[in-house]
Amino acid sequence: MNDKRRIYLDYAATTPIETEVFEAMKPYFIQNFGNSSSIHSFGREAACAADEARRKIATLIGAEPSEIYFTSGGTEADNWAIKGTAYAHKDKGNHVITSAIEHAAVMNSVVALEKEGFDITHLPVYSNGIVKPQDLENAITDKTVVISIMMANNEIGTIQPIKELAAIAKKHKVIFHTDAVQAVGSIPVNVKDLGVDMMSFSAHKFYGPKGIGVLYIRKGIRPDRLISGGHQERSRRGGTTNITGVVGMAKALEVAVRDLDKNYTHVKALRDYFVERVNKEIPYIIYNGDKESRLPQNANFSFEFIEGESILFSLDLEGIACSSGSACSSGSLEPSHVLLAIGLPHEKAHGSIRFTVGKDTTKDDIDYTIEKLKKVIANLRDFSPLFAEFKNNTVTV
Ligand code: PLP
């Protein structure tokens, strides 16, 4: 390993495990390793720890412990909420409503339903990346069985008016799910206050372990079971309880809620400083997403005339980790559906980069990133035929 500086600005992708969380998990790897379904003392110890974690998580989001269902993460929780509810109510209708900017976990769940004969409505989000409640009101029919709209977007960080949207769903007696994977731990979230029927969240987004998530299912809502197996999770989701995961998730949420104000202030100040400097010091950029209703840690820019992937690779060579909007890594060169949905033309959507700061990011990290970013953007534009053409046209008019 070389000792080059490394700066992580991809906290929306995942976060490191908090030391307090790791310490809380440790005994459950080696000493208290029991299967929580076993009736002997090893099993009872694990079951107690799982119950305690469930109680803690429920209290922290305003739910009852019996409304918390552990899953393998946000993806499974989203699949379960959407497909499980659609299947459970297929006698009533075959219409599902979602937004145009959902994460792949939701987007591909509705694609799967569409192949099975469900009708899907994708609500638009306009240039600020936000769903209009009136559009939801207009889209609901007597065949609508489930609505799924994310709380905060993973690419542009916009926060949706979930309370208002959930109230509309309730008025029409349609089940409302929100994917709150990017929101929980970053902004205050209370299911009772929001009035949602189901909500997904995932520990690795708030300094907890990977591979553990929760689907909150309000009492009385019964999505079909997706994971067949034993009687775990009150017979609604089979599989041996991930005891280290649930203990870690509960501790991580406790710490995130305890420190929320402090971390919010810290990441927002750094993000605002970063945005201000990029706006001032780098020409031909677009700051994507709503300026106000957005996660405090998220900054997403389109850098005109160049490709996001090239910026990403060049910054990586400088030790800076961030994320691009296009899905090159998945073998497709299509720009992100989120950036297209807010109205960016293909070439601008291609030049987009997401930076997400975290609680360990420092002002020095941001200063270093700005200096490297300025250099990378200038270098790439030097080789860009689009930029050369733009400059020639500007000179001749
Ligand atoms: N939903 C959103 C908005 C996300 O950002 C992610 C992860 O990036 C997921 C769902 C999937 O969660 P997980 O990684 O726990 O499966």
Side-chain angles (χ1 to χ4, degrees):
M1 286 288 282
N2 62 33
D3 53 5
K4 199 176 74 181
R5 185 160 181 179
R6 293 175 83 213
I7 296 177
Y8 187 76
L9 294 177
D10 203 14
Y11 285 87
T14 196
T15 57
I17 291 193
E18 174 78 36
T19 312
E20 282 180 75
V21 172
F22 186 49
E23 290 302 326
M25 291 170 72
K26 264 181 176 169
Y28 296 91
F29 283 106
I30 298 173
Q31 292 122 271
N32 311 346
F33 60 89
N35 182 327
S36 60
S37 300
S38 306
I39 53 171
H40 48 62
S41 65
F42 290 82
R44 290 198 306 275
E45 259 168 31
C48 268
D51 287 348
E52 176 55 27
R54 204 183 298 276
R55 253 196 309 278
K56 205 182 262 179
I57 291 171
T59 307
L60 291 164
I61 63 159
E64 297 298 322
S66 61
E67 296 174 318
I68 300 297
Y69 292 84
F70 290 115
T71 66
S72 62
T75 301
E76 185 193 325
D78 285 343
N79 270 262
W80 187 12
I82 297 165
K83 294 180 187 166
T85 308
Y87 297 151
H89 297 277
K90 63 177 183 300
D91 290 346
K92 176 194 167 196
N94 68 339
H95 182 224
V96 175
I97 302 176
T98 186
S99 86
I101 58 166
E102 298 295 317
H103 183 271
V106 168
M107 219 169 53
N108 288 327
S109 291
V110 301
V111 166
L113 288 175
E114 199 166 22
K115 286 190 185 140
E116 297 171 28
F118 284 85
D119 282 337
I120 315 296
T121 298
H122 297 270
L123 298 177
V125 293
Y126 306 93
S127 58
N128 63 353
I130 296 182
V131 168
K132 286 192 179 148
Q134 189 59 45
D135 287 342
L136 176 62
E137 182 87 55
N138 298 344
I140 296 174
T141 72
D142 56 0
K143 295 271 178 277
T144 311
V145 287
V146 60
I147 298 165
S148 181
I149 296 175
M150 72 197 319
M151 195 171 297
N153 183 264
N154 45 300
E155 290 185 40
I156 55 174
T158 45
I159 300 172
Q160 303 297 335
I162 293 299
K163 192 170 174 167
E164 228 178 310
L165 298 170
I168 293 170
K170 190 169 180 194
K171 189 172 82 185
H172 291 273
K173 298 192 171 50
V174 180
I175 294 171
F176 187 90
H177 165 254
T178 187
D179 171 345
V181 169
Q182 289 290 336
V184 169
S186 288
I187 56 173
V189 174
N190 180 297
V191 288
K192 291 286 176 313
D193 178 47
L194 291 165
V196 297
D197 296 310
M198 290 183 284
M199 181 175 89
S200 313
F201 53 111
S202 178
H204 76 101
K205 305 293 186 181
F206 48 88
Y207 304 87
K210 294 170 182 58
I212 182 76
V214 160
L215 179 62
Y216 155 77
I217 308 179
R218 189 169 64 75
K219 191 164 173 252
I221 305 286
R222 293 199 69 82
D224 274 8
R225 178 181 178 133
L226 286 198
I227 308 289
S228 304
H231 293 293
Q232 294 90 356
E233 300 305 305
R234 295 175 298 291
S235 296
R236 291 171 84 174
R237 191 266 185 194
T240 300
T241 303
N242 172 359
I243 193 67
T244 50
V246 306
V247 168
M249 182 165 191
K251 186 70 185 174
L253 190 58
E254 179 187 301
V255 174
V257 170
R258 183 193 71 198
D259 297 345
L260 196 137
D261 288 349
K262 184 178 80 181
N263 291 336
Y264 188 101
T265 308
H266 174 74
V267 297
K268 183 169 186 305
L270 287 179
R271 191 275 314 272
D272 288 349
Y273 172 68
F274 180 61
V275 171
E276 193 188 315
R277 284 201 59 190
V278 172
N279 270 326
K280 241 189 240 153
E281 298 174 38
I282 305 182
Y284 312 117
I285 57 130
I286 303 163
Y287 182 43
N288 295 312
D290 195 79
K291 312 274 173 298
E292 303 301 325
S293 185
R294 86 187 281 148
L295 291 172
Q297 65 270 38
N298 172 293
N300 184 305
F301 294 102
S302 295
F303 297 93
E304 293 192 56
F305 315 113
I306 46 182
E307 291 278 333
E309 298 293 312
S310 317
I311 306 169
L312 190 76
F313 292 135
S314 305
L315 288 176
D316 190 36
L317 288 175
E318 301 286 359
I320 298 162
C322 52
S323 168
S324 84
S326 66
C328 187
S329 52
S330 65
S332 143
L333 276 175
E334 273 300 294
S336 128
H337 65 290
V338 175
L339 300 171
L340 295 180
I342 60 171
L344 286 190
H346 268 60
E347 67 282 5
K348 288 183 184 157
H350 265 307
S352 298
I353 294 283
R354 175 188 74 188
F355 299 90
T356 40
V357 301
K359 61 185 178 185
D360 298 324
T361 310
T362 63
K363 179 166 176 293
D364 194 44
D365 292 337
I366 301 294
D367 287 330
Y368 180 86
T369 302
I370 297 275
E371 291 320 311
K372 297 295 178 190
L373 185 62
K374 279 161 52 175
K375 196 182 86 184
V376 161
I377 301 294
N379 283 348
L380 291 171
R381 282 184 179 155
D382 277 350
F383 291 101
S384 159
L386 284 176
F387 192 51
E389 194 186 316
F390 169 79
K391 277 197 304 191
N392 283 340
N393 289 343
T394 327
V395 170
T396 51
V397 279

